[in-house]
Amino acid sequence: MSLATQPIRDLRRQLTAGEIRPSDILDDLAGAIESREPALGAYLSFKLDAAKQAADEADLSLPLGGIPIALKDNINARGEPCTCSSRYLEKGYVSPYDATVTAKLKAAGAIPFGRLNMDEFAMGSSTENAALGRTVNPHAPDRIPGGSSGGSAAAVAAGTAVAALGSDTGGSIRQPASHCGVVGLKPSYGRVSRYGLVAFASSLDQIGPLTRSVDDSAAILQAIAGHDPSDSTSLDSEVPDFSAQLDAGVSGLKLGLPKEYFGEGIEPAVRACVEARVRELESQGAEIVEISLPHTEHAVATYYIIAPAEASSNLARFDGIRYGHRSANPDDLLDLYKKSREEGFGPEVKRRILLGTYVLSSGYYDAFYNRAQKVRTLIRRDFSEAFEKVDAILSPVAPSPARRIGGNSDDPLKEYLSDIYTIAANLAGICAISVPAGMVESDGAQLPVGLQILGPHLGEATLLRVAKAAEVAQG
Ligand code: GLN
């Protein structure tokens, strides 16, 4: 069995016993990349030779010593490109610093070696908005891998990465994990430093792991979590041992089923698959409780005001002066700003900047932005009330399995609506995970579907415990 597809714990055991060397893992990864990557397109770049050198020097006594990890291309790593799959950053930007998560992975002995494709600036749910690559679903080449961390999910699913980091602003870790059949964790807001993550919507963004198992997810979260003085929104609270309770099971836990997440719009096969996992958790001793999150129907509208508003402000830094693309023949300074942005950004990024600028503009600010903030408070309150009654919440991740490539390309609203089950967790700042729930038949293909588990703010230990029980239930 290829070392590239083994659990991190098994790799670590073999490494510390001297049965394998870190470069053996990289050799197996290189083989997998060579055979699968040309069709898959998960990577924007990778440096296996440099990684081998780092591997030779890896301190195997560290928790992730010798484990190669691939990064979504919006997470800075010193000396590497960080393109966000945008023409804007395609040429000329080499990162001068490590994001805190990159530094923490290195400090834990891991070896970041590759950059993974994504929707441009993390805006999208399909990886079709990528300007610099095209990633397909490893289960069906005519399907999207999901997005925006589509490269991360596809690489882990195809065995061309042991594990990867992604970012999740409205579902971008969980939804591609669901579509590719891997585990994707969005930590609670403030659990993981955002320093060095190229900002999309700063009040929603979180970095998290995409892995083949819940054990691996806990191991990586352990390495990247914790307070960081460089990110004022990272929380100065204790980081528990995320693996300690993993095998405690769900007996005695109360798990909520929000009625708003199982209604209209969900494909029957997806619903049946998720419900089968719910029944298994019940048979393991969990008490299943029907709950209500009454403001769910407003989540998409709220998110698509707040996220573009923050994006329009964050992306103002790309002005043709400081980073990346600069238009060649501007008439004057204003024209330089305009042309650099016009030439550098793709259509979805422009749409978000326009939307965001509009909702923040004088006269519309109160009607849209302020109102969205109020609804966000109501959505957050829905969850805090629910978590007074239950330990975690179970739901689908997306209404349908991975759609065909090109399917929604002229219908952004339809695409936005498919984020319905994932974005509320970001608006509320709570933690959430997608674990494989099974395969379903959809439009002639067998495709993976995820079960989403949502936990209270900083409730990752319980979240991972429920996730592990759901994973075990499937064998
Ligand atoms: N699909 C959502 C969007 O397009 C979420 C993206 C994300 O989480 N980065 O904004």
Side-chain angles (χ1 to χ4, degrees):
M1 181 183 177
S2 163
L3 295 170
T5 55
Q6 293 186 22
I8 291 176
R9 192 195 289 151
D10 292 359
L11 293 172
R12 291 279 308 138
R13 191 183 38 69
Q14 296 169 73
L15 285 167
T16 49
E19 291 163 20
I20 58 168
R21 287 167 304 151
S23 56
D24 297 332
I25 307 174
L26 285 161
D27 284 342
D28 281 8
L29 263 184
I33 288 175
E34 199 181 352
S35 65
R36 297 215 62 182
E37 177 58 18
L40 196 62
Y43 284 91
L44 288 171
S45 61
F46 48 82
K47 288 186 180 165
L48 285 165
D49 290 340
K52 271 197 171 176
Q53 210 173 329
D56 287 339
E57 293 153 17
D59 180 347
L60 299 183
S61 68
L62 293 168
L64 294 177
I67 304 295
I69 293 183
L71 304 180
K72 185 175 180 178
D73 205 25
N74 58 353
I75 299 171
N76 280 277
R78 191 151 57 89
E80 301 302 322
C82 188
T83 69
C84 300
S85 206
S86 177
R87 297 233 169 277
Y88 200 100
L89 291 168
E90 184 181 9
K91 297 194 189 92
Y93 181 77
V94 175
S95 179
Y97 72 115
D98 277 335
T100 298
V101 290
T102 310
K104 278 180 176 270
L105 284 177
K106 288 180 180 170
I111 305 158
F113 74 96
R115 318 278 317 164
L116 293 157
N117 198 20
M118 55 186 280
D119 283 302
E120 183 176 3
F121 285 105
M123 296 172 186
S125 319
S126 66
T127 313
E128 290 171 297
N129 298 336
L132 306 182
R134 182 175 183 275
T135 308
V136 305
N137 192 306
H139 295 271
D142 62 335
R143 308 284 167 144
I144 57 161
S148 66
S149 312
S152 304
V156 172
T160 57
V162 171
L165 291 188
S167 66
D168 190 313
T169 306
S172 276
I173 291 175
R174 291 160 285 157
Q175 186 259 22
S178 173
H179 283 358
C180 292
V182 299
V183 176
L185 168 66
K186 182 202 90 70
S188 308
Y189 189 75
R191 178 62 98 187
V192 174
S193 169
R194 295 181 295 109
Y195 179 72
L197 169 71
V198 178
F200 164 10
S202 309
S203 77
L204 303 161
D205 299 339
Q206 271 291 292
I207 297 170
L210 291 105
T211 55
R212 262 190 295 280
S213 69
V214 175
D215 282 340
D216 286 1
S217 187
I220 291 183
L221 180 64
Q222 201 73 50
I224 62 172
H227 180 239
D228 175 14
S230 302
D231 171 5
S232 60
T233 65
S234 90
L235 291 171
D236 197 357
S237 64
E238 197 203 334
V239 177
D241 179 350
F242 295 115
S243 300
Q245 292 181 43
L246 271 186
D247 297 309
V250 286
S251 179
L253 292 185
K254 284 193 179 145
L255 305 178
L257 280 192
K259 59 174 192 267
E260 294 81 2
Y261 282 55
F262 289 86
E264 229 177 285
I266 183 167
E267 243 179 65
V270 173
R271 182 182 171 146
C273 182
V274 170
E275 284 175 347
R277 299 288 85 78
V278 173
R279 279 194 298 278
E280 273 161 12
L281 289 168
E282 188 172 28
S283 70
Q284 287 181 42
E287 186 186 335
I288 306 294
V289 185
E290 183 169 303
I291 58 164
S292 174
L293 298 166
H295 296 93
T296 300
E297 63 173 316
H298 304 299
V300 171
T302 306
Y303 172 89
Y304 279 98
I305 291 172
I306 292 174
E310 294 184 17
S312 72
S313 163
N314 277 323
L315 271 64
R317 76 192 63 186
F318 299 106
D319 56 5
I321 306 290
R322 283 176 295 181
Y323 319 93
H325 181 69
R326 180 178 295 175
S327 183
N329 291 308
D331 296 336
D332 53 26
L333 183 62
L334 191 61
D335 198 43
L336 170 71
Y337 297 150
K338 282 190 192 161
K339 283 212 175 101
S340 301
R341 290 166 72 79
E342 161 63 30
E343 293 159 6
F345 291 142
E348 184 61 28
V349 176
K350 287 177 183 159
R351 182 181 293 128
R352 304 286 178 113
I353 293 172
L354 283 171
L355 261 174
T357 309
Y358 182 79
V359 300
L360 289 176
S361 59
S362 116
Y364 295 103
Y365 186 94
D366 280 334
F368 293 109
Y369 184 72
N370 260 347
R371 187 170 296 183
Q373 292 292 10
K374 287 180 187 154
V375 180
R376 181 177 189 173
T377 303
L378 297 174
I379 290 169
R380 192 179 285 139
R381 200 175 296 159
D382 281 357
F383 281 103
S384 36
E385 283 170 10
F387 287 124
E388 282 168 17
K389 298 186 204 110
V390 297
D391 299 291
I393 295 170
L394 306 175
S395 86
V397 179
S400 315
R403 61 165 173 78
R404 282 180 205 282
I405 288 169
N408 280 352
S409 49
D410 53 358
D411 193 347
L413 186 58
K414 190 166 175 214
E415 190 82 346
Y416 297 171
L417 288 171
S418 71
D419 293 336
I420 176 75
Y421 305 132
T422 49
I423 54 189
N426 303 75
L427 290 166
I430 60 173
C431 56
I433 192 168
S434 170
V435 281
M439 304 289 283
V440 301
E441 157 96 36
S442 175
D443 198 10
Q446 283 289 323
L447 296 165
V449 161
L451 164 73
Q452 179 171 231
I453 308 162
L454 303 116
H457 189 242
L458 299 183
E460 282 86 356
T462 308
L463 188 79
L464 287 159
R465 172 179 163 190
V466 179
K468 178 79 186 264
E471 183 182 60
V472 168
Q474 289 184 73

